[in-house]
Amino acid sequence: MKTTVRDFLRERGLGGGGTPAMLAGRASFAYVFGTVLVFLLVVEAVSGIALAAFYAPSSTDAWGSVAYVQDQVTLGWLVRGVHFHAASAMVIVAGLHLVQTALYGAYKKPRELVWWLGILLMMLILAWAVTGYVLRWDQAGYWANKVEVGIAAATPVVGGVIRKLALGGNDYGNLTLTRFYALHVLILPAVVGALTAGHVMLARKLGPTPLGDRERTPRPRWPDQTLRNAIAIAMVLTVLVVYVVAVRGVELAAPADPSQAYDARPLWYFRWLFELRDLSGRAEKVVALVMPAIVAGALVALPLADRAPTREPRARVAYLGALAGLLAVIGGLTVASFAGDARDKQLAKRNTQAEQRAQLARKLARLNGVPASGAADVFLTAPMARARAVFATRCKSCHDAESMDRKGPMLGAGHFNRSWIRAFLKNPSGEPFWGRTKLAKSDAAMKSFAQMPAAELDGIVELIYSESGATDVDADKRKRGLDVFETACSDCHAREDGMPGTSAPGLSGVGSRAYYLSFISNPKSAFHMGKDKSEMPRFDKEISLADRDALAEYLVWLRGATPPDLAALDQ
Amino acid sequence: MADEDRRRFLKVATCAIGGGVGLAVAGPVLTLLADPAGKTTVTTPTTPLDLGPAEQFRAGAEPHRVDVVAPIIKDGWTAARDVVLGAAWVRRTAPDKLVALSAVCPHLGCAIGWDAIAGNFLCPCHDSRFSVAGEKLNGPSERGMDELPLEVRDGRLLLTWVRYKTGQSRREPG
């Protein structure tokens, strides 16, 4: 006698033994959506477990761990992409499931509970997506979450408490992530899993609802319907994977940074609310809170309103029409939101910049790792990042070539190399040099040496250049320069260590790191410009010594840099 | 009979599709989970680390515990600075000779301490004892304490950190 595994299990109370699941009427592709949704839940669970094995829910580590999976783990980008886009697939299939159920009148007695559980599940799945989006702790997830929590915080009476509970305290931080993580990987899976089990069990027990009111012969589900389910699942998985590969997974923006503005957009399935909020002006928060409640309320009310026993679609045109209208409005608002963004050229530009920043952050994370101090500091691992950050905030407006209100000499690639010095000597009050300063228009302005014979000019250029500490100095030319300096320059300038000139700055060490540090610290010192000639403020109290020194190092680096070198620092 | 054949075909087709789908989902996920197993996810510097001035260790003194600190390591996605990798017991055995023993117990990797009363090393986890020179005295450890490469350059003690495999009598880097 053959004892199969199935018999073994059945004797021990496991496995099917009762009556087989039956369908009223023929198997149909109309019944596949629920099974596909269960499959997508499994995909989310399995890919989520794999991602959880890499993820660190802390505000310093979260972005780094996601970037690591995305860029450094074999197939990490694929699994992460599938996890993200399967959620979108779930929303789409849930929508189809809902439409099919409504069209077939499957929400009617005795299936109201199945319908209501389904509505609840759909809302929970949307909430699940919200809790997942923030976990990556990039600009996109961080700012979208700020908006979402902000809307929830507008709830009358309990809004403040909701916010504090969601954030785990007063502001965004480690506890925000640990909470959303716990919600995302423990609480919501348990709740959705249990409700799904109830939904499926009830649906199985009651069986699918055929279209129309005609009586049909019951037929077993297996294998006719099961095969259709399997085909649908295979198709959905194929489309999902092909899509994920085609779009190269899912994006990862730059690390969350409260100081960096970002055009936050919600996930696409909330875009209709985003648009609606936009259209409602000052009532935006109320609309964002009330509209989802109205939509959910309408869906919950459907089986209570449409209580006639008939399931013929033609007899329910009013209800189906209302549902179609609702979906059309949601679809229209979604399209309007995306279309509005597509028309916005400024937005496109900002998005391109944000994308460049994201790519730079990911490249630096790949090459240098993320500093233990936090993912946003990954930018500081770039060469001269600290100096450039200080430069951007403290120096750029007066010294950058592209600045609208430049007041001083341009500082850019090639600053204080030989050709820069030569150009300066030929026209010190020229536009790139002192041209924008008051000094250039005063009697104290330095005169032009454009008429100086080429050999002498070469010498003086080499002499000045040698003060910077550059190692490629031509000794002969410099020697010639020493003589020229005595006749042409020493009336005003001095070359001795630490000595100011009689009427102009001392030049010992000019262009060296120590010189720049001293100049930035106090350009008005007697050695440099003196207190009347310079409009530049002293920075020794405003910028830390380390930052000033970093700036000095950066200025020295600029001497040997070309514009492409400079641009490469940002890529 | 034709219906019987049809049903058999449908069953086989269903199982085949189901199996394919299962493999398609499991494959990438297992690849992901297995990925770190083949990688150096935590880098340890292979160059010598500065443990401070060599003159602090005097001949005849008890072994001295020194933290081995790496200036920078990569740990998964993080680049961390000043990370304590472990500890070494350093002793001057002769006026011009210093010896460093790894504080990692060769048995199962616990941290070995100095028992000042008994005058030998003791691993608190499973009571392995080692002589002041690091030889195995008793307890479950399979071998004596591991000596670490050490040199003195410009008066500074430079130690190369090596983590040896535990639980075996042969000494091999792990």
Side-chain angles (χ1 to χ4, degrees):
Chain A
M1 200 181 132
K2 201 171 90 180
T3 312
T4 62
V5 175
R6 190 181 302 179
D7 292 333
F8 174 88
L9 291 174
R10 197 170 288 164
E11 280 170 34
R12 281 150 189 86
L14 280 174
T19 45
M22 301 298 275
L23 301 173
R26 290 178 158 278
S28 165
F29 274 102
Y31 304 148
V32 299
F33 300 112
T35 314
V36 170
L37 279 173
V38 171
F39 167 72
L40 287 172
L41 275 175
V42 172
V43 168
E44 289 297 58
V46 173
S47 58
I49 287 168
L51 292 171
F54 292 88
Y55 180 72
S58 90
S59 59
T60 47
D61 277 323
W63 184 89
S65 65
V66 177
Y68 183 78
V69 168
Q70 180 71 24
D71 295 326
Q72 297 183 59
V73 179
T74 319
L75 295 187
W77 67 272
L78 180 69
V79 174
R80 185 171 166 254
V82 165
H83 191 73
F84 180 83
H85 292 296
S88 292
M90 213 139 73
V91 175
I92 296 170
V93 178
L96 293 171
H97 192 39
L98 182 137
V99 168
Q100 185 270 329
T101 309
L103 190 66
Y104 280 50
Y107 52 79
K108 293 192 170 218
K109 190 180 169 187
R111 296 183 176 83
E112 300 100 316
L113 277 180
V114 184
W115 171 261
W116 287 330
L117 274 174
I119 305 295
L120 183 59
L121 277 167
M122 186 151 188
M123 292 195 296
L124 284 172
I125 282 168
L126 293 174
W128 206 350
V130 168
T131 62
Y133 200 25
V134 67
L135 295 183
R136 49 167 97 168
W137 213 242
D138 67 348
Q139 286 282 74
Y142 176 81
W143 290 103
N145 191 269
K146 281 216 162 178
V147 175
E148 285 148 6
V149 171
I151 289 169
T155 316
V157 188
V158 291
V161 178
I162 291 178
R163 182 176 188 277
K164 285 178 188 165
L165 281 174
L167 300 191
N170 60 326
D171 203 353
Y172 279 78
N174 281 324
L175 289 169
T176 316
L177 276 175
T178 48
R179 287 185 158 236
F180 275 104
Y181 190 54
L183 271 173
H184 191 73
V185 306
L186 294 170
I187 299 165
L188 281 167
V191 172
V192 171
L195 291 177
T196 302
H199 181 78
V200 170
M201 251 157 50
L202 271 179
R204 282 265 168 156
K205 197 166 167 191
L206 298 165
T209 315
L211 192 61
D213 291 341
R214 196 163 54 83
E215 279 297 320
R216 290 158 206 257
T217 346
R219 300 161 73 111
R221 174 186 288 270
W222 167 258
D224 291 60
Q225 183 59 42
T226 317
L227 178 64
R228 282 167 176 78
N229 293 346
I231 290 171
I233 284 171
M235 279 165 54
V236 167
L237 182 66
T238 307
V239 171
L240 179 64
V241 171
V242 167
Y243 179 77
V244 169
V245 171
V247 301
R248 295 291 296 155
V250 52
E251 82 288 347
L252 178 65
D257 184 346
S259 72
Q260 285 273 339
Y262 189 81
D263 290 283
R265 291 291 182 273
L267 295 159
W268 67 264
Y269 26 89
F270 296 114
R271 273 300 185 103
W272 65 279
L273 266 178
F274 181 74
E275 184 68 11
L276 200 60
R277 185 204 54 82
D278 209 32
L279 295 175
S280 12
R282 291 173 64 182
E284 53 159 19
K285 284 182 183 162
V286 178
V287 167
L289 273 174
V290 170
M291 279 315 292
I294 291 177
V295 172
L299 291 173
V300 168
L302 184 59
L304 302 176
D306 177 18
R307 295 168 75 155
T310 178
R311 295 193 310 268
E312 287 292 345
R314 252 168 294 169
R316 298 178 292 121
V317 166
Y319 294 109
L320 293 179
L323 181 66
L326 182 69
L327 291 175
V329 169
I330 288 176
L333 287 167
T334 306
V335 170
S337 175
F338 279 105
D341 276 2
R343 278 194 304 273
D344 190 338
K345 293 222 168 56
Q346 288 302 313
L347 176 71
K349 203 175 151 194
R350 290 197 299 275
N351 283 344
T352 309
Q353 284 168 351
E355 177 59 20
Q356 277 169 358
R357 212 173 141 73
Q359 293 300 335
L360 176 63
R362 280 166 61 180
K363 186 183 104 179
L364 292 170
R366 228 170 23 243
L367 292 177
N368 308 331
V370 174
S373 51
D377 286 349
V378 78
F379 292 108
L380 298 184
T381 68
M384 280 158 306
R386 182 73 210 148
R388 283 163 53 72
V390 179
F391 188 86
T393 53
R394 309 306 298 268
C395 318
K396 215 170 178 171
S397 72
C398 290
H399 286 292
D400 194 73
E402 283 170 28
S403 166
M404 302 295 247
D405 31 45
R406 180 164 67 83
K407 293 197 188 81
M410 286 181 194
L411 296 177
H415 180 72
F416 218 81
N417 65 16
R418 290 188 183 90
S419 59
W420 186 94
I421 298 170
R422 187 184 313 277
F424 176 83
L425 291 173
K426 284 183 171 175
N427 188 10
S429 296
E431 178 62 17
F433 307 110
W434 299 115
R436 300 264 181 111
T437 64
K438 288 179 188 157
L439 175 68
K441 293 163 191 82
S442 75
D443 297 340
M446 177 171 159
K447 70 165 188 175
S448 161
F449 286 86
Q451 307 305 325
M452 186 180 264
E456 291 185 20
L457 195 61
D458 279 353
I460 203 78
V461 165
E462 201 65 17
L463 177 69
I464 302 290
Y465 180 70
S466 73
E467 289 292 330
S468 69
T471 50
D472 57 339
V473 175
D474 183 323
D476 291 341
K477 280 189 186 171
R478 180 177 181 277
K479 198 150 165 276
R480 205 173 315 140
L482 282 169
D483 299 335
V484 184
F485 189 88
E486 288 310 315
T487 55
C489 315
S490 62
D491 282 355
C492 307
H493 293 284
R495 272 192 57 249
E496 292 77 14
D497 261 357
M499 285 288 288
T502 43
S503 63
L507 293 180
S508 68
V510 61
S512 68
R513 183 163 168 176
Y515 175 90
Y516 284 132
L517 174 60
S518 144
F519 194 98
I520 296 165
S521 300
N522 185 10
K524 290 179 162 60
S525 72
F527 175 72
H528 294 298
M529 303 299 291
K531 69 173 188 282
D532 300 326
K533 288 181 194 155
S534 174
E535 294 158 74
M536 178 169 157
R538 56 192 292 181
F539 284 103
D540 50 354
K541 300 216 168 51
E542 305 215 355
I543 303 179
S544 75
L545 177 61
D547 283 357
R548 273 177 280 142
D549 186 47
L551 279 172
E553 184 192 16
Y554 174 56
L555 291 174
V556 170
W557 177 81
L558 281 177
R559 184 174 70 224
T562 61
D565 292 338
L566 197 53
L569 290 182
D570 291 326
Q571 279 154 20
Chain B
M1 265 305 115
D3 188 53
E4 201 50 33
D5 287 346
R6 184 182 155 275
R7 282 178 62 84
R8 178 169 300 131
F9 171 74
L10 292 188
K11 285 175 184 173
V12 170
T14 306
C15 293
I17 294 173
V21 165
L23 284 178
V25 173
V29 161
L30 293 177
T31 307
L32 195 71
L33 287 174
D35 178 84
K39 281 187 179 162
T40 308
T41 51
V42 182
T43 62
T44 308
T46 48
T47 49
L49 302 165
D50 191 329
L51 296 192
E55 62 189 8
Q56 62 179 313
F57 306 100
R58 286 190 309 278
E62 284 186 344
H64 185 70
R65 187 177 173 282
V66 187
D67 283 348
V68 180
V69 180
I72 188 160
I73 67 160
K74 238 177 164 181
D75 177 1
W77 50 88
T78 303
R81 291 181 183 281
D82 299 327
V83 177
V84 178
L85 301 172
W89 288 100
V90 182
R91 189 170 65 102
R92 192 177 286 279
T93 53
D96 60 346
K97 175 122 178 90
L98 282 158
V99 171
L101 299 171
S102 172
V104 177
C105 182
H107 178 220
L108 287 168
C110 285
I112 296 171
W114 173 251
D115 184 344
I117 296 165
N120 54 29
F121 289 107
L122 171 66
C123 177
C125 291
H126 307 106
D127 293 335
S128 286
R129 277 195 187 271
F130 308 90
S131 74
V132 67
E135 296 131 345
K136 181 187 153 186
L137 295 178
N138 53 45
S141 179
E142 291 85 349
R143 61 171 190 262
M145 288 167 75
D146 301 316
E147 193 175 333
L148 296 167
L150 193 68
E151 60 172 316
V152 177
R153 203 186 298 158
D154 302 329
R156 308 290 293 181
L157 190 62
L158 301 179
L159 177 129
T160 307
W161 180 250
V162 188
R163 200 169 260 286
Y164 293 96
K165 280 187 182 157
T166 56
Q168 58 187 41
S169 51
R170 206 149 54 88
R171 182 167 295 145
E172 56 179 328

